[in-house]
Amino acid sequence: MSPELVARLADVGIQVLAEARGHYLFGRDETVALVERTETGCGSIGGTGLMTEHGLSFLVWRENRAFLAAKGMEVPAAETQVAAIRRFSEDLQAALR
């Protein structure tokens, strides 16, 4: 990962939490995202969600209502949680360009 990319991520408060063979895990506060790791840096952004007591919970929509879904559970998402996920996704996408 280039120093320029690390600086762009830091400018929006995003950290590299982990590096695996095929992915990076980025995070800010309780929001996290998996991003494909490529030979040239970063590829597509995968799932984005919140770390909860149930683990990584992804934002899903059912009948125009937002929920946080993790393995074996699904709970209504608060507007603040939806907004945090959206802001994080937008900032991450902009930094990776």
Side-chain angles (χ1 to χ4, degrees):
M1 187 174 304
S2 74
E4 294 83 12
L5 175 56
V6 172
R8 285 195 312 268
L9 291 164
D11 286 345
V12 292
I14 297 174
Q15 300 176 334
V16 179
L17 301 177
E19 295 182 36
R21 187 176 205 193
H23 292 87
Y24 292 106
L25 179 66
F26 292 104
R28 177 175 67 195
D29 302 324
E30 72 277 355
T31 53
V32 294
L34 285 172
V35 176
E36 177 186 26
R37 186 174 179 173
T38 67
E39 289 181 18
T40 58
C42 295
S44 61
I45 299 172
T48 302
L50 296 177
M51 287 305 297
T52 68
E53 61 273 4
H54 301 287
L56 181 55
S57 298
F58 293 98
L59 182 65
V60 297
W61 294 87
R62 307 240 189 273
E63 298 178 7
N64 295 323
R65 293 183 56 214
F67 291 87
L68 292 173
K71 187 172 183 174
M73 76 95 195
E74 187 173 284
V75 296
E79 288 182 33
T80 55
Q81 293 171 316
V82 174
I85 292 169
R86 286 184 174 158
R87 272 192 313 276
F88 175 74
S89 295
E90 290 166 1
D91 289 347
L92 179 60
Q93 190 171 46
L96 293 178
R97 287 187 191 141

